[in-house]
Amino acid sequence: METVEKFILTEDDFLFIERQLLDMGFRENTKFDSARLFERLNLIPPRKITGREVSYFYKSHAQGNNYTVIIHVTYLKASKKWRDKGTDAAWCLIAEGDQAKYFAKPFLRTKGFILKLLRYAWVTKWKVDHRPLCRECHNFMDINRKIDPRQYYWICRNNERHEAGTPVFESWDSGLPLKATKFVSIRRAYTARYHKKLKKEGKTVTPARKIRKQWEIKNPENLA
């Protein structure tokens, strides 16, 4: 969790973020896209929500790779303003269909917000574009998460096609360029220090994605 004071972002800041995401190959989730999702799943928000927050997605062009990167930037495009305090965390995640497979830690609107969000957008896009193939069966590997401590890694469970008959694992940062590895390592080190501090104070660390109130899905049978 970041403790520096929040600062004011402008419409120009949003336009810069949007331009960078589009240049990376992301596309905006349109009102039509959102309406179809809401109708298909019959989504009910956890609280009253004013305005529609713009988000962007990126899909790999590789056949058989159905992972999608989704970026929520906390900006209300129609109103040309940022969300109010308390609902202002940006998110970067990887989904497979309607199921989230990976969440980066949320991005608060603090100093360095724009650079951190764009860097993670690039890193996460890179991971999807370079989704590793199993070294034994050559199928795409899947994202898996160790609960405690929080840790992501790649796994292939095609045990019948593996010599030892067991899952094959790869590091979450497998093949990641050195510059990108250094960036994510800095954020992870900051998080580790923060968690250590909380532990000394006798406080429990609760993942942000668990604190975040979930939307209710009235039509779970339509989940993709």
Side-chain angles (χ1 to χ4, degrees):
M1 182 176 180
E2 297 170 70
T3 56
V4 294
E5 292 185 2
K6 299 185 180 183
F7 65 105
I8 302 300
L9 291 169
T10 66
E11 181 185 3
D12 285 341
D13 291 321
F14 162 72
L15 293 175
F16 175 78
I17 292 173
E18 180 179 57
R19 185 165 61 251
Q20 295 299 315
L21 290 174
L22 294 177
D23 285 347
M24 287 185 212
F26 283 82
R27 289 178 52 201
E28 180 183 345
N29 268 313
T30 65
K31 287 184 179 180
F32 178 69
D33 294 329
S34 298
R36 285 195 304 176
L37 178 65
F38 273 65
E39 182 178 357
R40 177 166 59 85
L41 299 181
N42 192 7
L43 294 173
I44 306 298
R47 60 183 178 275
K48 183 179 179 180
I49 295 178
T50 303
R52 175 181 170 273
E53 180 181 326
V54 67
S55 63
Y56 300 85
F57 69 93
Y58 172 83
K59 291 186 177 182
S60 169
H61 301 296
Q63 185 175 359
N65 185 359
N66 51 0
Y67 280 172
T68 301
V69 183
I70 302 173
I71 308 291
H72 297 286
V73 299
T74 82
Y75 189 78
L76 305 177
K77 198 171 185 179
S79 306
K80 295 186 178 181
K81 69 174 187 177
W82 294 86
R83 275 210 180 279
D84 294 334
K85 182 179 179 181
T87 60
D88 60 351
W91 292 84
C92 174
L93 62 118
I94 297 175
E96 183 175 26
D98 296 317
Q99 306 293 326
K101 297 296 183 180
Y102 161 80
F103 278 95
K105 288 181 63 62
F107 299 85
L108 303 182
R109 295 206 308 258
T110 56
K111 184 178 180 180
F113 164 77
I114 295 174
L115 185 58
K116 291 173 187 174
L117 181 63
L118 290 175
R119 280 178 169 174
Y120 256 81
W122 185 92
V123 168
T124 311
K125 173 183 177 292
W126 189 96
K127 287 180 180 291
V128 166
D129 278 339
H130 297 81
R131 182 178 176 181
L133 298 177
C134 175
R135 59 181 176 271
E136 293 198 25
C137 70
H138 307 295
N139 280 2
F140 277 123
M141 301 188 78
D142 298 318
I143 296 172
N144 204 34
R145 181 176 181 268
K146 184 178 180 181
I147 301 300
D148 188 22
R150 180 182 184 271
Q151 181 181 5
Y152 287 95
Y153 54 91
W154 296 100
I155 187 171
C156 179
R157 296 187 177 90
N158 293 324
N159 296 352
E160 68 281 358
R161 298 182 59 187
H162 300 160
E163 184 176 354
T166 56
V168 172
F169 303 93
E170 288 287 353
S171 164
W172 178 236
D173 292 335
S174 177
L176 189 65
L178 180 60
K179 191 172 182 179
T181 301
K182 288 181 178 179
F183 166 69
V184 296
S185 295
I186 290 171
R187 195 169 195 235
R188 290 170 187 166
Y190 183 95
T191 300
R193 290 195 299 270
Y194 176 70
H195 287 179
K196 186 176 181 180
K197 176 177 177 290
L198 289 183
K199 189 174 181 179
K200 282 185 177 180
E201 296 172 354
K203 298 178 182 178
T204 302
V205 178
T206 304
R209 66 186 185 88
K210 289 187 176 181
I211 297 174
R212 188 186 192 195
K213 294 181 179 179
Q214 301 296 311
W215 289 61
E216 183 180 358
I217 301 173
K218 289 289 190 178
N219 294 340
E221 68 277 7
N222 292 337
L223 283 167

